[in-house]
């Protein structure tokens, strides 16, 4: 069912031990560790320490959030990110599907991104790791038709999802449904009409999250729902958002 957690970049200002304690104290169960601050690419000692602290707290390493951009980053950079993910004990490494939206990507560029994603998935499979691609603006997953095509073209890819700015509930539910049953992880946050610059408490968009969570629960598979983009980077607001997510999950939506 729903496995609640947090994306570590929600609190770039906190240390790894602080994030572990905060996550556990809030009653959440999983962490995605980011590759920019908390577990830098290539720092295997930091990865192993984060893995140990997460496990010792009874939490799950959901995955490793790399900033590798398929078809754009230096290909060798993926190997460094993958080694870090393996040291972290992350079953999934998240990458970006290029750096341009579907409508702005010509067929040759799309083919290059797709082929690089296939290469990355093959390299990761050797280590028992999977490659995930997030539903994200300015990538090939900024449009649901493009996204589903991409996941068909590279069957090994794992879909992630998050709402766009000023999301419409019906459109979000349709997107989530289109990515099932392969959809593994959702990033949960609430934004106002001004998008990223207007972060809201998660509960302010109960109208969005209740039907999305119900859709995720419909087939009985375990899926991660991870908090991100807390208003004012506030620890107290994070605790409130965690309580809202846990309450919805416990109620069966």
């Amino acid at each position: 069912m729903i496995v609640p957690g947090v994306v570590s970049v929600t609190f770039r200002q906190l240390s790894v031990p602080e994030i572990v304690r905060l996550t556990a104290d809030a009653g959440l169960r999983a962490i995605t560790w980011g590759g920019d601050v908390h577990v830098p690419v290539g720092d295997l000692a930091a990865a192993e320490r984060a893995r140990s602290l997460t496990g010792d707290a009874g939490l799950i390493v959901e995955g490793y959030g790399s900033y590798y951009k398929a078809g754009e980053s230096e290909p060798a950079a993926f190997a460094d990110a993958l080694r870090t993910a393996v040291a972290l004990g992350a079953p999934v490494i998240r990458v970006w599907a290029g750096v341009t939206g579907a409508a702005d990507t010509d067929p040759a560029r799309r083919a290059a991104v797709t082929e690089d994603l296939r290469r990355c998935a093959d390299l990761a499979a050797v280590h028992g790791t999977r490659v995930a691609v997030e539903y994200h603006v300015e990538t090939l997953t900024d449009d649901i038709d493009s996204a589903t095509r991409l996941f068909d073209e590279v069957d090994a890819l794992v879909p992630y999802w998050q709402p766009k700015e000023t999301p419409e509930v019906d459109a979000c539910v349709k997107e989530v449904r289109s990515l099932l049953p392969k959809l593994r992880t959702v990033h949960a946050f609430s934004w106002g009409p001004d998008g990223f610059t207007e972060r809201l408490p998660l509960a302010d968009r109960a109208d969005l999250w209740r039907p999305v969570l119900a859709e995720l629960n419909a087939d009985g598979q375990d899926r991660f729902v991870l908090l991100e983009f807390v208003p004012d980077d506030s620890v107290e607001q994070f605790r409130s958002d965690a309580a809202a997510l846990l309450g919805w999950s416990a109620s069966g939506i």
Side-chain angles (χ1 to χ4, degrees):
M1 305 301 279
I2 299 300
V3 182
V6 65
V7 183
S8 77
V9 296
T10 303
F11 293 110
R12 286 184 170 92
Q13 75 276 22
L14 299 183
S15 67
V16 168
E18 287 172 329
I19 289 174
V20 168
R21 285 195 297 271
L22 179 61
T23 302
D25 289 347
L28 304 180
R29 295 174 52 197
I31 303 174
T32 292
W33 290 107
D36 57 346
V37 175
H38 298 116
V39 183
V41 173
D43 191 339
L44 303 188
E48 291 167 357
R49 181 168 183 261
R51 176 181 187 171
S52 177
L53 289 171
T54 305
D56 288 348
L59 302 174
I60 301 166
V61 174
E62 183 276 335
Y64 182 55
S66 84
Y67 289 86
Y68 183 83
K69 298 174 176 61
E72 298 290 335
S73 298
E74 183 65 32
F78 181 75
D80 293 333
L82 179 58
R83 279 193 292 271
T84 312
V86 171
L88 178 63
V92 173
I93 177 171
R94 194 175 73 243
V95 304
W96 290 39
V99 296
T100 57
D104 298 319
T105 305
D106 63 37
R109 172 48 46 190
R110 183 183 180 100
V113 173
T114 303
E115 183 55 37
D116 196 23
L117 287 170
R118 191 174 290 112
R119 177 188 70 90
C120 291
D122 289 344
L123 289 172
V126 173
H127 300 275
T129 306
R130 301 184 70 188
V131 172
V133 176
E134 191 171 1
Y135 194 76
H136 202 284
V137 296
E138 297 182 349
T139 73
L140 292 182
T141 58
D142 69 345
D143 170 83
I144 192 60
D145 292 334
S146 174
T148 52
R149 174 185 163 193
L150 182 67
F151 294 121
D152 286 341
E153 291 171 335
V154 188
D155 186 62
L157 288 180
V158 178
Y160 280 34
W161 181 85
Q162 65 182 20
K164 297 178 182 178
E165 295 183 8
T166 61
E168 297 180 359
V169 174
D170 289 346
C172 287
V173 171
K174 180 180 177 181
E175 289 170 1
V176 168
R177 187 176 297 146
S178 297
L179 296 172
L180 295 173
K182 293 177 66 176
L183 178 61
R184 179 180 190 271
T185 299
V186 165
H187 289 178
F189 49 82
S190 294
W191 287 349
D194 291 335
F196 178 77
T197 60
E198 188 181 357
R199 303 181 188 184
L200 304 175
L202 191 70
D204 281 15
R205 290 305 310 268
D207 65 310
L208 167 65
W209 287 109
R210 282 185 176 275
V212 166
L213 293 174
E215 195 69 35
L216 295 173
N217 263 334
D219 63 3
Q221 289 191 34
D222 286 346
R223 293 188 173 89
F224 293 92
V225 177
L226 309 178
L227 296 175
E228 192 178 19
F229 298 124
V230 175
D232 300 318
D233 298 330
S234 165
V235 168
E236 288 308 311
Q237 184 57 57
F238 171 77
R239 295 182 191 278
S240 295
D241 287 358
L245 177 58
L246 290 169
W248 294 333
S249 300
S251 71
I253 318 304

